[in-house]
Amino acid sequence: MSDYVIPAPKIPTIPVEGGGEFPVRRVYCIGRNYAAHSIEMGDDPDRDPPFFFQKNPNNLDASGDFPYPSQTSDVHYEVEMAVALKTGGTNISTADALDHVYGYAACLDMTRRDLQGEAKKKGRPWEIGKAFERSGPIGPLQLVSEVGHPDNGRVELLVNDEVQQEGDLNQMIWKVPEMISYLSDFFELEPGDVIMSGTPSGVGPIQKGDVMVVNIAGLNSLTVKVT
Ligand code: MN
């Protein structure tokens, strides 16, 4: 028995490969995290600090369908790797950061690009372009004990069997440990937090009927149909 005065919202979850459901608390997404055509970033003293926006936890969707959203005529795919945390904290060092990771999954940061573009131009928040219903198609989480910590290898997105995006995990400007550490300086990270790690170049529009396939080296593929 609870004292909730209305029905409590359901806790959003991501399925886990091999069984079980990962409960999602927050979803942080990094902006611009791949330098296009750059083979290796290494230490770049001139790199700007990273920036993050959020999706809503219940925007994540493992159904394999992406219903074309309302109020837009320019929806873009962004292939990304999701990082799911099993523990959290503040002021986490980069050396300790990976100890907090539960697993990884292929995902998409679907974007109402026209609305995001308007918001950018006017200096407004991005939620209208980024944090809409089912805007985060995601595959089952794969455990660190199974897949390790993927930090290099091909990332690609195919639409109707044609490659539209390609890059390599090693092109991330801000590596996974750095993202965790950076976020933990500003927020209290907790179990259930998910980080979407950015997209390589080649983003573009989809139409109803398209089939998107995400391939990330070391992880299961993700297939999503635009309905
Ligand atoms: Mn993105």
Side-chain angles (χ1 to χ4, degrees):
M1 295 291 281
S2 78
D3 288 333
Y4 294 135
V5 297
I6 58 166
K10 197 172 160 274
I11 293 176
T13 61
I14 308 169
V16 176
E17 177 91 347
E21 296 283 325
F22 179 91
V24 181
R25 191 186 77 118
R26 291 182 183 170
V27 181
Y28 293 102
C29 310
I30 192 167
R32 243 173 226 282
N33 198 29
Y34 285 74
H37 312 302
S38 170
I39 293 167
E40 198 169 357
M41 292 304 295
D43 287 326
D44 180 355
D46 293 322
R47 60 185 184 170
D48 289 331
F51 69 94
F52 292 84
F53 59 90
Q54 283 176 266
K55 284 184 188 283
N56 298 298
N58 63 2
N59 294 156
L60 298 184
D61 176 21
S63 70
D65 285 337
F66 174 72
Y68 201 93
S70 61
Q71 303 296 325
T72 178
S73 55
D74 191 26
V75 177
H76 280 202
Y77 43 76
E78 295 188 1
V79 55
E80 312 214 357
M81 182 175 74
V83 184
L85 303 189
K86 63 181 178 187
T87 50
T90 54
N91 303 312
I92 296 169
S93 70
T94 52
D96 294 339
L98 291 179
D99 296 341
H100 296 275
V101 178
Y102 176 79
Y104 297 88
C107 71
L108 289 160
D109 168 14
M110 299 305 294
T111 302
R112 293 195 276 217
R113 193 71 75 199
D114 42 3
L115 302 189
Q116 185 202 22
E118 269 173 52
K120 275 185 184 173
K121 223 183 301 166
K122 294 176 177 165
R124 290 178 178 166
W126 286 9
E127 281 85 352
I128 199 166
K130 289 288 197 178
F132 55 92
E133 269 48 69
R134 300 174 76 172
S135 60
I138 190 164
L141 279 176
Q142 294 178 265
L143 275 64
V144 169
S145 57
E146 300 291 323
V147 298
H149 296 284
D151 62 2
N152 69 88
R154 186 174 168 83
V155 178
E156 65 175 16
L157 177 113
L158 293 80
V159 179
N160 305 332
D161 298 324
E162 270 183 43
V163 176
Q164 298 295 341
Q165 284 194 269
E166 49 190 330
D168 193 296
L169 291 172
N170 69 14
Q171 295 168 335
M172 283 186 197
I173 297 169
W174 297 91
K175 311 297 184 192
V176 172
E178 293 173 315
M179 285 187 263
I180 293 170
S181 176
Y182 187 89
L183 280 167
S184 78
D185 289 342
F186 291 87
F187 304 103
E188 293 179 8
L189 297 180
E190 287 191 20
D193 290 348
V194 173
I195 301 167
M196 291 171 63
S197 56
T199 194
S201 58
V203 299
I206 42 93
Q207 311 299 334
K208 279 181 197 174
D210 286 347
V211 176
M212 301 180 283
V213 175
V214 173
N215 294 316
I216 298 178
L219 298 178
N220 291 335
S221 296
L222 168 68
T223 301
V224 179
K225 226 179 302 166
V226 184
T227 58

